[in-house]
Amino acid sequence: MLAMTRIVLVVLGLSSGVLAMDRILGHVLAPPEGKRLLLVTAAGGTVEQVRQALAAGAVVDETGPSGLTPLMCAAADGNAAVVRTLLAGGADPERESESALTPLYFAAINGNEETLRLLLAAGADPLTPTAGGVTALDAAIQYDQPHLVEIMAQAVAGRGEGEGRKARRDEGTEARRE
């Protein structure tokens, strides 16, 4: 959990300010209640704990402060086993926080190759920009993760023309203009 906390501090410190850091840390470190159990469990728990929370009715894409999801927390923590479990449970790999951060963005910062590959295989787009215009690919470059940069560049090069969230957004913008 300490790794996830450090990453959240860095990311939120850059994107959302001190108030958001206080909100998320207060929530993540608070005792779990109700639907928020999965968010706290994914941040530092085990696959079995996540399965139990889902079986108890936890919402797989439930958001906490700043719009963080359990998948984002697990990706930030580099916990590939929990990421795999959440994706199998229906977690959205493209879900964005309030600052448009995605699970792939957190994985790119963390440096865990297995987590990154799982998210890419589930359809995460390395070119989805944050509210500040930074993509997961940009984050991997910024945080000196050359092995992840190569993997994401290959994923982008390997997809067909018009694929990916950025292309879908552009198409939607064009359709609204017409």
Side-chain angles (χ1 to χ4, degrees), residues 1-8 12 24-25 27-29 36-45 50 60-80 82-83 86 91 95 97 101-107 110 115 119:
M1 178 145 145
L2 289 176
M4 191 281 306
T5 303
R6 280 194 298 270
I7 291 169
V8 169
L12 292 177
I24 188 62
L25 289 177
H27 177 75
V28 169
L29 300 177
R36 303 275 190 225
L37 174 65
L38 186 56
L39 182 66
V40 175
T41 300
V50 170
V60 75
D61 279 328
E62 178 72 21
T63 59
S66 300
L68 296 181
T69 66
L71 187 58
M72 291 174 197
C73 292
D77 203 31
N79 192 336
V82 169
V83 167
L86 291 168
R95 181 84 180 251
S97 70
L101 301 176
T102 63
L104 191 63
Y105 182 89
F106 286 104
N110 174 279
T115 298
L119 292 166

Side-chain angles (χ1 to χ4, degrees), residues 53-142:
L54 290 171
V59 179
V60 75
D61 279 328
E62 178 72 21
T63 59
S66 300
L68 296 181
T69 66
L71 187 58
M72 291 174 197
C73 292
D77 203 31
N79 192 336
V82 169
V83 167
R84 184 180 296 107
T85 302
L86 291 168
L87 289 169
D92 181 359
E94 284 281 273
R95 181 84 180 251
E96 296 178 355
S97 70
E98 291 174 8
S99 299
L101 301 176
T102 63
L104 191 63
Y105 182 89
F106 286 104
I109 292 171
N110 174 279
N112 185 291
E113 183 176 330
E114 185 179 1
T115 298
L116 186 102
R117 287 185 185 276
L118 287 167
L119 292 166
L120 288 171
D125 185 354
L127 301 180
T128 298
T130 66
V134 179
T135 67
L137 185 57
D138 296 330
I141 293 167
Q142 180 181 2

Side-chain angles (χ1 to χ4, degrees), residues 9 14-16 21 24 26 33 66 71 80 94 133 145-146 148-149:
L9 279 169
L14 294 174
S15 63
S16 300
M21 281 193 303
I24 188 62
E33 309 174 19
S66 300
L71 187 58
E94 284 281 273
Q145 308 285 2
L148 301 185
V149 171

